[in-house]
C-alpha cells in the first residue's frame, strides 16, 4: 500500500480531474502464467478527495455497461483506467 510507483519513463504520475496528483493505492506484478495479463505490472491510484464512485446505476445488480468509460454525476470525468 502506498509507496513509490514503478512507472515507465514516458508515463506521468496520474492526476484526478480535479487537478490533484493521485495517491498510489497499491501495485503488484501479475504472475506470468495468468493470461491474458501475465507478466504485466498493475498500478491502482485514487484521488484523496474523489475516492468513491458516485451512486452507481445498476442493471440486474451490476454496473451499467460502459460505467467506467463515462462521467458519473456529480463528477465531471470518468472513473476508469487512464
Amino acid at each position: 500500500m502506498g509507496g513509490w510507483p514503478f512507472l515507465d519513463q514516458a508515463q506521468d504520475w496520474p492526476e484526478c480531474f480535479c487537478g490533484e496528483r493521485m495517491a498510489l493505492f497499491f501495485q503488484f506484478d501479475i504472475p506470468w502464467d495468468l493470461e491474458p495479463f501475465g507478466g504485466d505490472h498493475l498500478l491502482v491510484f485514487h484521488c484523496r478527495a474523489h475516492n468513491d464512485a458516485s451512486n452507481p446505476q445498476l442493471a440486474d445488480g451490476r454496473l451499467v455497461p460502459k460505467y467506467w468509460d463515462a462521467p458519473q454525476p456529480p463528477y465531471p470525468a470518468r472513473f476508469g483506467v487512464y
Side-chain angles (χ1 to χ4, degrees), residues 21-76:
R21 190 165 105 161
M22 296 180 129
L24 175 64
F25 190 58
F26 66 87
Q27 64 183 329
F28 63 89
D29 290 325
I30 301 172
W32 285 99
D33 59 344
L34 295 177
E35 295 295 332
F37 303 106
D40 286 348
H41 184 76
L42 176 68
L43 299 104
V44 177
F45 293 85
H46 70 96
C47 176
R48 290 176 181 92
H50 303 103
N51 59 5
D52 290 321
S54 58
N55 298 320
Q57 294 180 349
L58 301 177
D60 299 327
R62 295 179 285 179
L63 292 175
V64 295
K66 307 273 186 185
Y67 175 81
W68 298 108
D69 297 331
Q72 301 299 318
Y75 302 114

